[in-house]
Amino acid sequence: MVTTGLRTLRCRTEEDELRGAVWVFARLSVIAWVFWWGLSVGVPAAEGSTTGAEPFQVLPSQSTVERFAKVEFRLVTPGGVSLPAVEEFEVVIRLPSGNGVTVPGFYFQPYERRTFAGQGQRTDWIYPRGEPYWLVRFTPWEVGEHGLTGRVRLADGRQLTTASIKFHSVASNRRGFLRRSAEDPRFFATADGRPFFAIGQNLAFIGGGQYFTLAKVEQTLPILAEHGVNYLRVWTCCEDWAICIEGRKSAWTRTWHWRLPVENRPNGEDHQPGRRCVVLAGEAGQTLSADPSWPLALYPDTDYLFTGRIRTTAGTEVVCQLSDQPPRVISQPESSGKWTEFTINFRSGSRQYWLGPISFRLTRGGKVWFDALSLREVREDGSLGPELLWEADVNRPARGWFNPIDCALLDRLLEAAESHGIYLQLCMLTRDLYMYALSDPSSEEYEQAIADAKRFFRHAIARWGYSPAVAAWEYWNEMDPGKPTERFYDELGRFFEEHDPYAHLRTTSTWHPSPRDMRHPRLDIADAHYYLRPMEREHWDEVEAVLDRAKFLRGHAPDKPALLAEFGLATEKWGLADDMKADRQAVHFHNALWTSALSGLSGTAMFWWWEQLDKLQAYKHYRPLSLFVVDIPWDSGKLIAFDGVSSDKAVRVVALRTESTAWCWLINRGATWVGSLALGREPKPVPPGDFLIPDFRVSRCRLEAFDSWEGKPLQLPGLTGETVSDGLRVTYPRFVRDLALRVISVP
């Protein structure tokens, strides 16, 4: 019997003939099953196509999942059926309540990740492994049986529907997605109904060249969580210095001196209007390097193929140097005036995980054009892996193309945040890619910006929307407040309401306060940024500054969560102030945390200088505050912020109260950073005094003193409360810096 692969060509015996008949019967059965499957799932026939459909299946990562935990669904084609390209994949999920939701999918390239301690920019190694596939991520918020059907759109226009599958969600103690409180919309709550007060800071720049690599973030998150931090603001729009999902990252230049060495592709027989190419020109010895912003990762003991197209002027010769490989001449005589291809095969070393810059050098002067540069792994079967040198493509659009490595980093970041119960406000869009298109709401540029932003956020919802760790989508950092962005926020808001099944909160920020943004009905969080700079310090200390910004935010956003999302000490030009470094005890940080927590805002002032906070070991200041505010009923609808009137002008009182409890923080004005410590003076103790809690009328009360630095109760003689006609007058003893008090009504 002669065979080719698995297919029989000829049967010469009765047994062979029988086997052949069985094979034919099985083949006809499969065809009949495919035809029946196409009818049973109701696949519509595309115009001009025949009825029936190729079989797709949706495979779940698990059949049972906890409430508010992730389950994934992978699109597969059983039997290796060859199909036209899939252009879109989504699933329709029937919830236990009977409602239905549509969840978009995305094309997923798996990445392997390793860490190399002490390697600076090369600490985090991330490399594509395996074949890409279509994937849906989903987090159930209901308990019970779920039904799921996949919908597939092919490149040839056909719309296919998969067979239905089921999975179950079971109860858990996970808190779920962040919401505006239904009881008091000024504050947050989690989807399980518990109130939430945001305690945290910025951790904006995460990347290989940053103080915080992904590896360091993973080391720091458990420390932050242990000290009570539950909220961080992270940028995914950092261009080429940190995570940037959609940006201009280029192997040929950097954002801060953007000079791409490019020209339009020169005329010739294969001229392509509008296509650009990289240029190297000059005398012999002139060089050009392709140096991606994220170092090129390699897999050890692996074959690679580096290819491209070049064109030269007459007599020009160019040499390519790949890391420690020998230099190779890539120009040929026929390259003069015509495009020719070059190919370099090399194998990585047994312990080589990185490829350095790729350099080109002229050995004879002239001019060289480069196009279609590519670096790909050569697999054992001869196929090529994903593109590794995508930053060298000068024709890649800045908008609408999503950085695969940074997408994979954000995957890992969200997993780490979830595991420690920390919510992330993700600043998503790269502002400068959109800002100049938002000048005229009636223009085509404005319309295109909206379309591109929707495309971006469809991907974001598909890939990261599943995660309860996504506290809010922040459109961009510090947009120009003079731009007419109302239409943009309205249309993007409607898009989220239609396409984000998890109803994540939405916010934005501007470089000067924007009351109209704070009032916008489709922005869920009011946001402001403020820095104490030398020009302000003659008038405000950190306590006064936070209270002023809280009043401003609440004046324009009385019925939605409000955050002072950036705060800190800065130079006149917004740089890191020497004062910030000099405050070894982080006094200004401590004071701003306590002021903001009891100011009526929805979270603490979020400090910007995360590197300094880490170096100062300032995280210890979070723990006492988190213990003090844990019993504040943020969702009661009865919280009132007030300034307690003190008998001593040297004492400032910041407080919240309900009808039966008050949470008060007393600060010695001489103990603020700006008020005295920046001047090199130690604060003087304030004598015993009293303050009034207005309209707080209780017959009896219990007063509890709390050490705001150590996070423990204090026994203070002389601490008393007396009901008076206009409230409760609290007498406090002598203290030096600050003092926290609970005043509790008792029967």
Side-chain angles (χ1 to χ4, degrees):
M1 182 174 65
V2 181
T3 62
T4 301
L6 298 177
R7 188 166 183 175
T8 303
L9 298 181
R10 171 174 275 183
C11 300
R12 292 185 176 178
T13 66
E14 291 181 0
E15 181 179 359
D16 289 336
E17 290 174 359
L18 178 60
R19 288 175 179 169
V22 170
W23 181 87
V24 170
F25 177 80
R27 177 83 179 244
L28 291 173
S29 298
V30 169
I31 294 172
W33 178 85
V34 170
F35 178 76
W36 170 86
W37 179 88
L39 294 176
S40 66
V41 299
V43 178
E47 184 177 352
S49 69
T50 59
T51 58
E54 294 83 1
F56 279 103
Q57 287 185 356
V58 175
L59 298 184
S61 59
Q62 59 209 78
S63 59
T64 301
V65 60
E66 289 187 344
R67 184 188 186 209
F68 299 130
K70 179 179 68 174
V71 60
E72 295 183 330
F73 303 97
R74 181 173 177 174
L75 182 68
V76 298
T77 54
V81 178
S82 177
L83 292 167
V86 174
E87 290 198 342
E88 191 173 276
F89 171 50
E90 63 185 13
V91 299
V92 179
I93 298 177
R94 186 187 67 255
L95 305 177
S97 63
N99 296 324
V101 294
T102 301
V103 184
F106 65 102
Y107 199 55
F108 177 64
Q109 169 62 60
Y111 274 80
E112 180 182 347
R113 188 262 183 133
R114 302 185 187 184
T115 59
F116 297 91
Q119 295 298 308
Q121 190 178 13
R122 296 181 174 185
T123 296
D124 295 306
W125 178 89
I126 186 163
Y127 187 85
R129 299 291 285 177
E131 295 295 331
Y133 51 87
W134 281 91
L135 183 68
V136 163
R137 290 172 171 166
F138 178 68
T139 292
W141 56 87
E142 294 184 11
V143 172
E145 183 181 87
H146 292 63
L148 179 146
T149 303
R151 296 196 298 214
V152 182
R153 180 166 60 84
L154 299 180
D156 62 7
R158 281 179 292 168
Q159 305 278 339
L160 309 182
T161 305
T162 72
S164 296
I165 63 172
K166 295 179 180 179
F167 65 98
H168 289 78
S169 171
V170 297
S172 75
N173 61 358
R174 298 170 185 263
R175 299 196 64 172
F177 299 92
L178 199 63
R179 302 279 184 252
R180 291 170 64 176
S181 169
E183 302 299 327
D184 190 339
R186 296 175 299 168
F187 299 103
F188 297 112
T190 46
D192 64 349
R194 286 182 277 178
F196 180 91
F197 182 76
I199 300 175
Q201 62 180 62
N202 281 268
L203 197 61
F205 304 164
I206 300 170
Q210 292 295 322
Y211 179 84
F212 271 98
T213 61
L214 181 59
K216 183 168 178 59
V217 170
E218 291 172 333
Q219 296 169 357
T220 305
L221 288 185
I223 299 172
L224 290 169
E226 181 184 354
H227 285 85
V229 169
N230 59 18
Y231 199 94
L232 297 172
R233 180 171 178 261
V234 173
W235 286 21
T236 69
C237 55
C238 297
E239 288 284 8
D240 43 27
W241 63 86
I243 293 178
C244 185
I245 303 304
E246 183 185 58
R248 298 182 300 170
K249 289 190 176 184
S250 174
W252 308 106
T253 188
R254 292 295 182 265
T255 300
W256 48 90
H257 55 72
W258 193 259
R259 299 187 194 90
L260 275 177
V262 300
E263 289 182 2
N264 289 331
R265 211 165 188 264
N267 292 326
E269 69 248 4
D270 55 357
H271 176 59
Q272 299 178 28
R275 184 170 178 83
R276 301 187 300 172
C277 57
V278 180
V279 177
L280 171 61
E283 302 297 325
Q286 189 74 24
T287 62
L288 177 68
S289 291
D291 184 16
S293 60
W294 186 269
L296 278 170
L298 299 181
Y299 213 84
D301 281 327
T302 301
D303 291 321
Y304 289 91
L305 179 67
F306 179 53
T307 61
R309 305 191 73 207
I310 65 169
R311 175 176 170 170
T312 69
T313 54
T316 305
E317 185 177 83
V318 62
V319 168
C320 177
Q321 177 80 55
L322 288 172
S323 190
D324 57 355
Q325 299 293 316
R328 308 190 193 188
V329 176
I330 59 173
S331 57
Q332 303 296 331
E334 58 268 26
S335 301
S336 178
K338 294 184 178 181
W339 287 100
T340 59
E341 296 183 357
F342 69 86
T343 299
I344 298 177
N345 293 280
F346 69 96
R347 187 172 180 83
S348 57
S350 60
R351 302 185 67 180
Q352 185 179 6
Y353 287 91
W354 307 97
L355 178 69
I358 301 169
S359 64
F360 302 94
R361 179 172 54 87
L362 297 179
T363 56
R364 295 198 197 109
K367 190 171 186 178
V368 183
W369 294 267
F370 300 90
D371 194 10
L373 296 176
S374 172
L375 176 66
R376 302 174 75 179
E377 176 187 331
V378 181
R379 296 165 173 159
E380 292 184 0
D381 63 0
S383 64
L384 298 178
E387 179 61 60
L388 302 176
L389 193 58
W390 49 267
E391 281 196 35
D393 181 5
V394 295
N395 293 286
R396 171 174 51 87
R399 293 198 326 225
W401 192 90
F402 311 127
N403 182 320
I405 293 178
D406 288 355
C407 284
L409 289 175
L410 186 53
D411 289 344
R412 300 299 182 97
L413 178 61
L414 285 171
E415 291 171 3
E418 276 189 61
S419 67
H420 297 292
I422 294 177
Y423 289 80
L424 306 181
Q425 180 173 314
L426 297 178
C427 189
M428 299 297 290
L429 295 171
T430 303
R431 180 194 65 193
D432 291 348
L433 295 183
Y434 290 84
M435 183 167 62
Y436 300 104
L438 297 177
S439 299
D440 179 2
S442 63
S443 68
E444 292 183 5
E445 292 82 5
Y446 200 106
E447 189 75 33
Q448 188 62 51
I450 291 175
D452 289 344
K454 287 180 178 179
R455 186 180 303 110
F456 175 95
F457 278 114
R458 188 190 189 282
H459 182 80
I461 291 167
R463 186 156 190 165
W464 305 295
Y466 80 90
S467 177
V470 177
W473 308 114
E474 182 176 352
Y475 290 135
W476 33 51
N477 176 69
E478 296 192 349
M479 172 54 68
D480 180 351
K483 293 289 184 181
T485 49
E486 293 94 334
R487 180 192 167 199
F488 181 93
Y489 297 142
D490 191 62
E491 293 207 23
L492 264 290
R494 293 177 188 274
F495 173 83
F496 275 108
E497 289 158 14
E498 181 179 352
H499 295 283
D500 184 354
Y502 312 101
H504 289 92
L505 302 176
R506 304 150 298 181
T507 187
T508 194
S509 59
T510 50
W511 61 52
H512 290 306
S514 178
R516 62 190 171 93
D517 289 350
M518 297 173 187
R519 296 189 296 264
H520 197 290
R522 285 193 163 87
L523 292 173
D524 301 300
I525 304 173
D527 183 294
H529 298 174
Y530 186 80
Y531 290 87
L532 279 169
R533 296 182 296 154
M535 64 182 294
E536 282 98 9
R537 292 184 194 172
E538 294 180 3
H539 307 290
W540 283 351
D541 58 24
E542 63 274 27
V543 175
E544 300 294 336
V546 170
L547 289 175
D548 178 84
R549 293 297 85 191
K551 182 179 179 181
F552 180 86
L553 279 160
R554 278 292 168 230
H556 295 287
D559 296 315
K560 65 171 66 174
L563 293 174
L564 188 53
E566 286 187 21
F567 188 79
L569 302 180
T571 65
E572 204 64 66
K573 295 184 178 180
W574 313 101
L576 174 61
D578 289 338
D579 288 343
M580 175 75 187
K581 303 175 186 178
D583 187 3
R584 304 302 302 173
Q585 293 181 297
V587 171
H588 72 289
F589 174 63
H590 170 94
N591 291 343
L593 287 180
W594 280 85
T595 305
S596 53
L598 301 179
S599 67
L601 291 176
S602 312
T604 60
M606 300 177 66
F607 265 65
W608 177 254
W609 308 112
W610 55 88
E611 180 176 340
Q612 288 302 312
L613 293 179
D614 189 73
K615 290 179 178 179
L616 292 171
Q617 298 181 335
Y619 305 145
K620 61 186 178 183
H621 291 283
Y622 289 119
R623 187 63 180 165
L625 177 70
S626 67
L627 293 172
F628 185 75
V629 303
V630 71
D631 65 337
I632 296 179
W634 303 103
D635 61 346
S636 67
K638 298 180 179 180
L639 277 177
I640 298 173
F642 69 95
D643 291 341
V645 180
S646 174
S647 60
D648 188 342
K649 292 182 179 180
V651 175
R652 181 71 191 254
V653 181
V654 183
L656 290 171
R657 71 167 178 85
T658 63
E659 295 174 347
S660 60
T661 308
W663 296 262
C664 309
W665 182 65
L666 285 62
I667 174 70
N668 176 358
R669 294 180 191 267
T672 63
W673 170 251
V674 176
S676 67
L677 300 183
L679 303 176
R681 297 196 298 255
E682 284 296 317
K684 295 180 180 179
V686 295
D690 59 66
F691 69 93
L692 179 70
I693 304 178
D695 300 320
F696 191 74
R697 296 178 176 86
V698 296
S699 56
R700 297 176 57 211
C701 65
R702 182 175 76 251
L703 284 85
E704 299 175 349
F706 188 81
D707 189 326
S708 64
W709 290 77
E710 297 297 328
K712 59 186 180 182
L714 293 173
Q715 299 298 322
L716 294 181
L719 183 62
T720 62
E722 177 187 6
T723 300
V724 294
S725 61
D726 50 355
L728 183 77
R729 187 159 296 280
V730 177
T731 300
Y732 56 82
R734 175 182 182 271
F735 68 93
V736 178
R737 286 184 171 178
D738 59 302
L739 179 65
L741 302 174
R742 284 192 189 93
V743 185
I744 306 167
S745 174
V746 295

